[in-house]
Amino acid sequence: MLPAPRADLVPNTFDYEIRPLVKATGFREYDARWLFGPEINLLGIQALGLGLGTYIQELGQKRIVVGHDFRSYSLSIKQALTIGLVAAGCEVLDIGLSVSPMAYFAQFDLDAPCVAMVTASHNENGWTGVKMGAQKPLTFGPDEMGRLKEIVLKGEWAERPGGSVQHVEGVAERYIADVASRASLKRPLKVIAACGNGTAGAFAPEALRRMGVATVIEMDCDLDFNFPKYNPNPEDSVMLHAMAEAVRRYDADVALGFDGDGDRCGVVDDEGEEIFADKIGLMLARDLSVLHKDATFIVDVKSTGLFATDEVLKANGAKTVYWKTGHSYIKRKTAELGALAGFEKSGHFFFNPPIGRGYDDGLVAAAAILSMLDRNPDKKLSDLKKALPVAFTSLTMSPHCADEEKYGVVDDVVREYTEFANAGGTILGRKITDLVTVNGVRVALEDGSWVLVRASSNKPELVVVVESTQSEDDMRRLFREEVKPRLAKRSQVGAYNQEI
């Protein structure tokens, strides 16, 4: 029996070679992520597989899809994970090199309830992790991650006979065919496919061609796990600037950027301007609400307030629900409410049938964006963006606050804003019309402006975002005259990573 993991092992020692190393910090709210070497070793990954296998057996399951992204060490990590899963009595279906949505697709394709995708997503080299689920199309949330953490760190796994591993061919081809069927373009479009030398480069260009894209210009689509230019992260300014330059050089209609594991899609328009994911979500919601009357959309609390005030959505009977930030939370809420789509500001898009299967997939999002352009043949993407109401949104600002204190601080801020609103308080002369408290507090004002304070899910920080419907200056005032002074009264709140 594998011994229980320790957290104090160091590489290049005898104990490191014979015992599992697993640092507790790697268990996040909805996935697991470690620095490979100093925070987890291969025996630690095996222990994770044993724990995951034990947990899914507790849930009455044993059939599980595994895949891995394109990193120099991901295959060996997947193999160590597989050893643990097999020891726990699981039927492992290994689909090989894949993007995360391909692993989620394989749950449907192979009729497997569970998934374990080895990926560090867009993190820098050195990181590894696993995205897991036991109920398609959902991935684990805090309750599941908490139970898994308990089993692994305490060594409370159970070995069972009957485990097996099967290497499954053909999933990649079926996945590409499936995502390509989500669009059938008639408009001749020139599209930049930006992959940052990450895993999506093996699949995205072919899928876009099969959707009917007239000209696909491949940008850093050759796989290279050294990531020689930049991390494959469409929220990263370096990748976005490269996409914008490519749009201008090739006079393209749009650049679509895919992250390291292919579950997110970033967008640069025909003028070389980035469109943040929440604004893309609003454009898609406008487009889809014409085809699907009275649709429900889920957006995270960091997203623009325009979803709540947009006249086009109102005219089409659309309803928007603001929910907790985090891809697992938005995915679950989209499924729970049977919403047509869910949008997270980080670039995770979730489409339920008939558009998608409910999980986040950068290529399904790309199909929806391209189909929107196809349905508006007389408009460029920049035209659709300019048709949106104007809102001035801040950067995401994160003041330091210790992990042990951040949730208490946020609870206190929620209480203070609640009392302030109940007493008829105003912010820069505007009445408070709504408080959304599912994830910190989002304070909505009568003109559609808002401020947000929440705790970071995975760092010792708070998260602050403000948006004004009036002006850039008003947006700055909402931060400098309202949120910053309110937080400054609390000694637990430290310096900001960036400020407006």
Side-chain angles (χ1 to χ4, degrees):
M1 177 77 78
L2 199 66
R6 285 170 47 180
D8 60 344
L9 304 179
V10 293
N12 199 21
T13 62
F14 179 76
D15 280 347
Y16 188 89
E17 288 298 303
I18 64 169
R19 298 181 182 277
L21 165 69
V22 182
K23 295 265 177 99
T25 50
F27 293 93
R28 311 298 175 87
E29 282 192 38
Y30 34 78
D31 60 17
R33 218 166 284 187
W34 293 271
L35 278 168
F36 180 48
E39 296 181 355
I40 196 166
N41 61 6
L42 285 174
L43 287 174
I45 297 289
Q46 186 176 329
L48 178 67
L50 263 168
L52 176 59
T54 299
Y55 180 45
I56 67 173
Q57 294 269 9
E58 280 184 9
L59 299 174
Q61 309 291 351
K62 60 186 292 188
R63 191 169 165 87
I64 183 168
V65 170
V66 300
H68 71 281
D69 68 4
F70 194 75
R71 307 264 178 164
S72 61
Y73 42 82
S74 289
L75 176 57
S76 60
I77 286 171
K78 183 183 70 177
Q79 289 172 327
L81 185 78
T82 298
I83 290 171
L85 288 166
V86 170
C90 295
E91 297 175 18
V92 178
L93 304 170
D94 186 345
I95 64 170
L97 182 69
S98 58
V99 285
S100 291
M102 188 185 300
Y104 305 149
F105 164 79
Q107 291 177 269
F108 291 85
D109 184 55
L110 303 176
D111 192 24
C114 304
V115 65
M117 174 66 194
V118 172
T119 178
S121 188
H122 61 275
N123 281 31
E124 295 85 356
N125 270 325
W127 286 90
T128 190
V130 186
K131 292 181 177 178
M132 296 160 278
Q135 182 188 356
K136 57 189 179 190
L138 307 180
T139 41
F140 284 174
D143 292 344
E144 294 90 345
M145 289 304 300
R147 177 59 183 142
L148 176 64
K149 178 180 179 180
E150 179 182 41
I151 294 171
V152 174
L153 296 185
K154 293 182 178 178
E156 292 180 345
W157 47 70
E159 294 189 352
R160 287 182 172 87
S164 64
V165 57
Q166 176 186 352
H167 295 273
V168 183
E169 300 290 334
V171 173
E173 168 56 33
R174 293 193 293 276
Y175 166 74
I176 290 172
D178 183 77
V179 294
S181 72
R182 308 286 169 179
S184 183
L185 306 177
K186 297 175 179 61
R187 178 179 179 178
L189 293 171
K190 185 185 292 185
V191 176
I192 308 289
C195 296
N197 303 111
T199 322
F203 313 107
E206 176 62 17
L208 292 172
R209 290 187 185 98
R210 291 199 205 176
M211 289 177 196
V213 174
T215 306
V216 176
I217 297 167
E218 298 187 19
M219 176 180 157
D220 305 323
C221 290
D222 293 331
L223 302 193
D224 186 339
F225 50 55
N226 296 306
F227 303 145
K229 296 184 178 177
Y230 41 75
N231 260 16
N233 179 6
E235 276 192 300
D236 190 315
S237 61
V238 181
M239 184 171 181
L240 288 166
H241 290 161
M243 290 164 61
E245 183 183 335
V247 166
R248 289 188 282 266
R249 185 188 321 136
Y250 294 104
D251 192 25
D253 294 290
V254 62
L256 301 172
F258 303 96
D259 71 336
D261 69 329
D263 59 5
R264 290 189 297 133
C265 181
V267 182
V268 171
D269 71 14
D270 52 283
E271 295 182 343
E273 295 295 324
E274 174 193 359
I275 309 179
F276 289 115
D278 57 342
K279 300 293 175 62
I280 283 287
L282 180 57
M283 292 158 66
L284 287 169
R286 282 182 151 200
D287 178 64
L288 293 170
S289 64
V290 174
L291 303 174
H292 305 271
K293 296 292 184 182
D294 303 323
T296 296
F297 299 99
I298 312 297
V299 297
D300 75 317
V301 292
K302 287 169 63 178
S303 294
T304 178
L306 294 175
F307 280 97
T309 59
D310 186 62
E311 294 300 328
V312 173
L313 293 186
K314 286 179 182 177
N316 293 331
K319 175 187 175 185
T320 300
V321 175
Y322 285 89
W323 196 242
K324 299 177 184 179
T325 293
H327 66 84
S328 183
Y329 295 124
I330 301 298
K331 192 183 308 188
R332 281 171 180 263
K333 201 66 176 176
T334 303
E336 175 192 329
L337 297 185
L340 183 63
F343 307 115
E344 198 198 11
K345 194 170 183 180
S346 65
H348 291 273
F349 298 144
F350 310 89
F351 296 97
N352 273 329
I355 304 166
R357 285 193 172 89
Y359 51 78
D360 37 345
D361 187 331
L363 282 169
V364 172
I369 294 163
L370 296 173
S371 295
M372 174 175 66
L373 282 171
D374 204 53
R375 283 190 286 270
N376 293 273
D378 58 334
K379 292 184 173 67
K380 297 178 179 179
L381 192 59
S382 57
D383 296 329
L384 296 176
K385 180 186 72 175
K386 290 169 185 173
L388 297 178
V390 176
F392 303 87
T393 313
S394 74
L395 302 163
T396 298
M397 298 169 282
S398 298
H400 184 271
C401 191
D403 283 324
E404 300 81 5
E405 296 177 323
K406 64 186 181 184
Y407 293 106
V409 168
V410 169
D411 286 344
D412 192 49
V413 172
V414 172
R415 177 194 54 75
E416 186 174 303
Y417 269 122
T418 301
E419 292 175 354
F420 186 58
N422 289 341
T426 61
I427 292 177
L428 301 188
R430 281 158 276 183
K431 294 177 183 176
I432 297 171
T433 56
D434 190 28
L435 297 178
V436 179
T437 58
V438 294
N439 191 200
V441 60
R442 178 184 169 114
V443 185
L445 307 181
E446 59 184 324
D447 66 341
S449 302
W450 54 272
V451 304
L452 169 74
V453 179
R454 58 179 285 268
S456 169
S457 300
N458 49 28
K459 290 183 179 179
E461 296 173 343
L462 303 182
V463 174
V464 174
V465 183
V466 300
E467 181 177 88
S468 170
T469 58
Q470 296 188 11
S471 68
E472 188 97 13
D473 286 343
D474 184 64
M475 179 259 286
R476 294 175 187 279
R477 288 181 64 210
L478 285 170
F479 172 65
R480 296 198 167 275
E481 297 178 26
E482 168 57 33
V483 183
K484 189 178 181 182
R486 196 175 290 274
L487 292 180
K489 296 184 296 183
R490 294 162 169 85
S491 60
Q492 307 96 316
V493 179
Y496 287 73
N497 66 331
Q498 57 183 355
E499 293 186 35
I500 52 171

